[in-house]
Amino acid sequence: MDSTKKVLVIAYYWPPSGGAGVQRWLKLTKYLARLGHEVHVLSVDPEKASYFHVDESLKNDIHPKVKIHLSDSFEPINIYSQMVGKKNVPTAGYSNVDEQHWKQKLVSGIRSNLFIPDPRIGWKKHAYRKAMEVIASENIQNVITTSPPHSTQLIGLKLKRKLKSKINWIVDFRDPWTDIYYYSLLQHSKLSHKKNLKLERQVVEESDQIITVGEGFKASFLSKTNKVSPDKFEIISNAFDPDDFNMKDEVRPDEDVFLASYIGTVSDKYEPDVFFEALGRLAKDFPEAPIRFKATGVVSERLQKLIVDHLGDKASFHPPVPHEQAVHAMLKSHVLLLITPGIEGTIPGKTFEYLASGRRILSVGKGDSAKAIKQCNAGAAFERSEKEAVYEYLKSALLDFQNKIPFETNKNELKKMAWDYKAAQVVELLR
């Protein structure tokens, strides 16, 4: 077709890597291919990669017309995980970090000062070489680099400096760089922090276009330079895949258990205490009510203790599961807990899958997530100081459960939160 565009997406996290960071371009490439465009993906050889999680099932969601290219890598994180033990290597979101533990302080110090901007910097040389081959052999005009890890953006920077106007370099920031909520845990020296700021500024200034997920992140990156117009940015939020929710009509919450759930990774930095105080209080005020809480994913030890202190044996914890099972866990819930870090504009990717589930969402933290929840009439968002309001909302949800009152969201607005809608936005940026 004459309107077919060619695009190379450079992404470190790609199946069999698991976790939320994989979903964005796994889904966008799927729908770009469905729209008839020629999509190439360059990622790291899984045998050389250092993933937080592995989810082999995600391979099934790669569109058959998406062409995959893999490159070698040098992964120092694999070496120092052997030195200090895998449990002491920070996981996604730094959810397992004990700021006082000497091994983890050592790991963070090594990470931040020897490997700038991150330990995946060893992939840059190999990925750059492979990208040059693919661009030449496939006549690629559009290159998209997505991060984290932000070292991926340095591959794009090197490509742009080499190929100049021959490529349209689009930067996709799924998360902030120096403004990420756990940046303070990374123990940067003044020198390494200065280097990160310089690299961040160069990527923002030298890219052709920038995609990010919300206005807050856009403001963060704009603040790094006075040489870039706001028009350079396109807001393309995360989304949900309608294909993942084909089971929606068959999987329903149990009628004999009022289940609140959290699915994903949660760090101490998220400060979700107000929710568990309220749910614990509700369990005491309604002792006969079958209230339960279930976490599926990675929850820090401190938070597990806090949850048990409030809920006792009404709480249960389960390790990360394949994506299909995670969706199933959402659909089995009456209330889904969403937690956003204390940074304006942060909108976790799971927000959209929570929305797609049609289940009631209670967000601890506002910002862009609150706007999406309100737009779809999908629940409510609260500040961490609104203890009484959180309790009253949970109480109302419990009463609806007891009285068998169904919860309904705005389905027309929900369609705008799907990946096919977002892929059409990406197409507008391609040349």
Side-chain angles (χ1 to χ4, degrees), residues 237 347 351-352 355 361 367-379 413-414 417:
S237 69
I347 181 164
T351 302
F352 300 94
L355 289 169
I361 301 170
D368 288 2
S369 288
K371 296 172 186 175
I373 292 168
K374 183 178 180 180
Q375 182 179 341
C376 295
N377 191 33
E413 290 298 322
L414 194 59
M417 307 291 179

Side-chain angles (χ1 to χ4, degrees), residues 22-256:
V22 181
Q23 296 292 325
R24 182 170 173 85
W25 283 96
L26 176 61
K27 301 300 186 181
L28 283 171
T29 55
K30 171 182 175 178
Y31 283 100
L32 286 171
R34 281 192 184 181
L35 289 170
H37 302 288
E38 184 178 319
V39 183
H40 297 257
V41 172
L42 169 58
S43 193
V44 62
D45 182 342
E47 295 297 320
K48 302 296 180 65
S50 49
Y51 299 139
F52 295 120
H53 307 298
V54 171
D55 185 348
E56 296 284 349
S57 71
L58 292 180
K59 291 180 179 178
N60 299 327
D61 210 26
I62 300 173
H63 193 282
K65 288 189 176 180
V66 172
K67 301 175 184 179
I68 310 301
H69 310 269
L70 302 176
S71 77
D72 199 355
S73 182
F74 170 65
E75 302 280 335
I77 196 171
N78 288 331
I79 298 173
Y80 66 65
S81 68
Q82 295 173 5
M83 293 169 51
V84 301
K86 189 172 182 180
K87 70 178 182 178
N88 291 311
V89 176
T91 59
Y94 270 54
S95 60
N96 68 331
V97 167
D98 178 353
E99 295 178 63
Q100 305 305 315
H101 196 291
W102 72 268
K103 284 187 178 181
Q104 291 188 350
K105 289 175 73 173
L106 173 64
V107 168
S108 291
I110 293 173
R111 176 205 189 281
S112 302
N113 294 286
L114 292 185
F115 309 113
I116 301 172
D118 53 65
R120 277 81 182 182
I121 189 64
W123 185 46
K124 177 188 170 185
K125 175 179 69 174
H126 304 280
Y128 169 77
R129 186 184 306 123
K130 188 68 175 180
M132 287 292 289
E133 292 176 10
V134 175
I135 291 168
S137 64
E138 303 293 341
N139 191 27
I140 303 288
Q141 292 85 40
N142 301 283
V143 175
I144 300 175
T145 48
T146 180
S147 64
H150 296 302
S151 51
T152 305
Q153 303 300 356
L154 304 189
I155 302 166
L157 183 64
K158 190 172 181 179
L159 289 169
K160 185 64 182 179
R161 287 175 173 176
K162 176 69 175 179
L163 299 173
K164 298 182 170 50
S165 61
K166 293 180 181 178
I167 60 168
N168 172 35
W169 176 33
I170 304 170
V171 165
D172 176 60
F173 284 121
R174 304 191 311 271
D175 282 320
W177 190 325
T178 56
D179 290 329
I180 190 71
Y181 66 91
Y182 56 76
Y183 191 78
S184 63
L185 296 178
L186 300 180
Q187 300 191 50
H188 285 287
S189 65
K190 289 183 178 179
L191 184 62
S192 67
H193 175 55
K194 186 177 180 180
K195 179 67 173 176
N196 266 285
L197 287 171
K198 180 181 179 181
L199 292 172
E200 181 180 27
R201 185 179 70 254
Q202 289 173 335
V203 169
V204 170
E205 291 178 351
E206 297 184 42
S207 55
D208 292 301
Q209 300 177 88
I210 299 173
I211 301 171
T212 193
V213 298
E215 291 291 343
F217 288 4
K218 174 181 174 179
S220 166
F221 289 111
L222 275 172
S223 71
K224 308 303 178 182
T225 176
N226 58 5
K227 297 181 179 179
V228 171
S229 165
D231 294 339
K232 186 174 182 175
F233 286 78
E234 180 75 14
I235 303 300
I236 301 180
S237 69
N238 285 312
F240 70 90
D241 188 346
D243 289 353
D244 291 343
F245 289 83
N246 289 332
M247 67 180 92
K248 186 174 178 178
D249 293 334
E250 288 75 42
V251 181
R252 306 295 303 175
D254 293 335
E255 294 183 359
D256 56 348

